[in-house]
Amino acid sequence: MKISPYQPDQSGMAYSVGTTLDRFINLKQNDFPFASGELSQLLRDIALAAKIVNRETNRAGLANIGGAFGQTNVQGEEQQKLDVIANIRFMRALSKGGEVCAIVSEEEDAVIDLQNNSGKYVVAIDPLDGSSNIDVNISIGTIFSIYRRKTPLGQPIQSEDIMQPGKDQVAAGYVLYGSSTMLVYTTGFGVNGFTYENSLGEFFLSHPNIQAPKKGGIYSINEGLQNEWEQSVKNYVDHCKDQRYAARYIGSLVADFHRNLLKGGIYIYPATTKNPSGKLRLLYEANALAFIAEQAGAVATNGQKSILDLSPNILHQRTPLIIGSERMVEDYLKITKQEEPSY
Ligand code: P6P
């Protein structure tokens, strides 16, 4: 039986694998009868910046833009040259695109007010996550969340427009600069993945309607920090070893998350003695991946609550992150006895 190249999505809309991102965005915009096209344009703006960062990343070793920038960011982390370049590229694309009023970036101490009081959207972004891997040619990524501003047009208000819980995201995604470059995103109607064709400068639909396996055999955690974990986390990792799960930890969140999303697995960055609130940031790392995870049938928690239900109190707030296949997160919660799973 000939297998149709057409894959019906959750809205029943049939589209072919190989559809360009631009055409897909237009098709999906039709799912929103009153859509003004502004979110569509914002997604295109992000894709444009991703293409540019992809080019910069691919030529880093040749263009002397690898290595350290010589400054530290608000996190106290040493900025790589590409961190700064990626931040500039996304800021510029979002500013010129005209749909955004404010940006929260891992690379910026404070909220960037774009002085665009007609912009309806707020973007929280980690322009280049895992950048310490750049110089050794290991996959890195961009992570982004999109919110509608809560206050009427005018200067955005941090407490209202910026500090929103993850459940209020209107879209979220990541770009994985790996053996191929992919953009994976959701607008709340499923998760779709697009692969970049360098020779054409286009993203093409390659992974329609991504569904995370309910079970998996991969666990991702930095076992070098074992002595900094609570005993309950050690108990879960021992469980993974008893189950003979594969240990896979790239040190690049987007790469670990993407593999676990497609193959089934769990990524854990728990509280440690050095980072008692966890290392990963709620606004521009955990929330976006949690939205994608839940849209793909997976789960994301801080050990006590769903990530998407956490209300941010500070801009660069950190959180423990346990994210991946539903049954594996369920086992984690049972074994660490931190929360009765409601899945
Ligand atoms: P550690 C990279 O700095 C990052 O934010 C994630 O991409 C990655 O999963 C994690 O931190 C690695 O942290 O402490 O294991 O080196």
Side-chain angles (χ1 to χ4, degrees), residues 252-311:
S252 190
L253 172 58
V254 171
D256 279 317
F257 175 78
H258 182 73
R259 179 205 52 241
N260 293 349
L261 184 72
L262 297 187
K263 290 180 172 253
I266 187 170
Y267 172 99
I268 305 162
Y269 208 108
T272 63
T273 42
K274 178 186 173 189
N275 287 305
S277 299
K279 175 183 180 183
L280 300 169
R281 274 58 59 128
L282 178 61
L283 274 182
Y284 41 79
E285 289 171 331
N287 272 340
L289 299 186
F291 189 18
I292 290 168
E294 299 215 355
Q295 282 289 310
V299 170
T301 175
N302 69 351
Q304 274 77 40
K305 288 176 73 174
S306 164
I307 291 290
L308 296 181
D309 290 335
L310 299 178
S311 294

Side-chain angles (χ1 to χ4, degrees), residues 81-342:
K81 290 176 189 167
L82 268 176
D83 281 323
V84 176
I85 290 169
N87 192 47
I88 291 167
R89 291 298 188 179
F90 277 99
M91 293 287 149
R92 192 175 297 167
L94 294 174
S95 175
K96 289 182 183 298
E99 307 303 342
V100 176
C101 63
I103 301 172
V104 181
S105 168
E106 184 194 44
E107 302 303 331
E108 300 289 345
D109 299 8
V111 175
I112 303 296
D113 181 342
L114 294 181
Q115 304 297 317
N116 172 22
N117 292 340
S118 62
K120 293 180 182 163
Y121 295 97
V122 171
V123 173
I125 188 166
D126 183 352
L128 206 60
D129 178 74
S131 53
S132 58
N133 292 307
I134 293 168
D135 290 352
V136 292
N137 204 15
I138 289 174
S139 302
I140 50 182
T142 297
I143 309 171
F144 63 89
S145 288
I146 301 174
Y147 297 87
R148 283 185 73 89
R149 61 179 299 161
K150 297 283 192 190
T151 59
L153 302 190
Q155 184 164 23
I157 298 172
Q158 181 155 326
S159 59
E160 303 289 323
D161 297 314
I162 312 298
M163 308 298 273
Q164 298 189 45
K167 64 183 183 335
D168 289 350
Q169 292 173 90
V170 294
Y174 59 85
V175 184
L176 175 57
Y177 310 97
S179 53
S180 66
T181 290
M182 281 193 70
L183 187 151
V184 178
Y185 81 95
T186 183
T187 56
F189 291 83
V191 179
N192 293 281
F194 300 79
T195 298
Y196 188 57
E197 172 50 70
N198 278 288
S199 64
L200 299 176
E202 281 285 2
F203 282 101
F204 288 90
L205 181 65
S206 54
H207 297 68
N209 194 24
I210 294 173
Q211 292 294 310
K214 292 299 182 186
K215 296 180 181 176
I218 296 170
Y219 73 102
S220 307
I221 189 169
N222 182 346
E223 297 202 50
L225 302 178
Q226 176 174 310
N227 296 334
E228 296 190 37
W229 301 337
E230 293 180 7
Q231 183 56 46
S232 60
V233 176
K234 296 176 186 175
N235 296 343
Y236 178 73
V237 171
D238 289 343
H239 163 75
C240 292
K241 293 174 178 172
D242 294 342
Q243 298 295 312
R244 289 182 55 75
Y245 292 161
R248 296 286 185 274
Y249 191 73
I250 299 170
S252 190
L253 172 58
V254 171
D256 279 317
F257 175 78
H258 182 73
R259 179 205 52 241
N260 293 349
L261 184 72
L262 297 187
K263 290 180 172 253
I266 187 170
Y267 172 99
I268 305 162
Y269 208 108
T272 63
T273 42
K274 178 186 173 189
N275 287 305
S277 299
K279 175 183 180 183
L280 300 169
R281 274 58 59 128
L282 178 61
L283 274 182
Y284 41 79
E285 289 171 331
N287 272 340
L289 299 186
F291 189 18
I292 290 168
E294 299 215 355
Q295 282 289 310
V299 170
T301 175
N302 69 351
Q304 274 77 40
K305 288 176 73 174
S306 164
I307 291 290
L308 296 181
D309 290 335
L310 299 178
S311 294
N313 302 307
I314 55 175
L315 206 56
H316 298 286
Q317 180 168 324
R318 297 177 189 268
T319 177
L321 178 65
I322 299 95
I323 188 168
S325 296
E326 184 180 82
R327 293 288 176 275
M328 297 183 83
V329 175
E330 202 168 71
D331 288 343
Y332 175 92
L333 293 173
K334 280 179 189 168
I335 290 169
T336 56
K337 293 184 178 44
Q338 294 187 57
E339 171 195 84
E340 275 311 304
S342 58

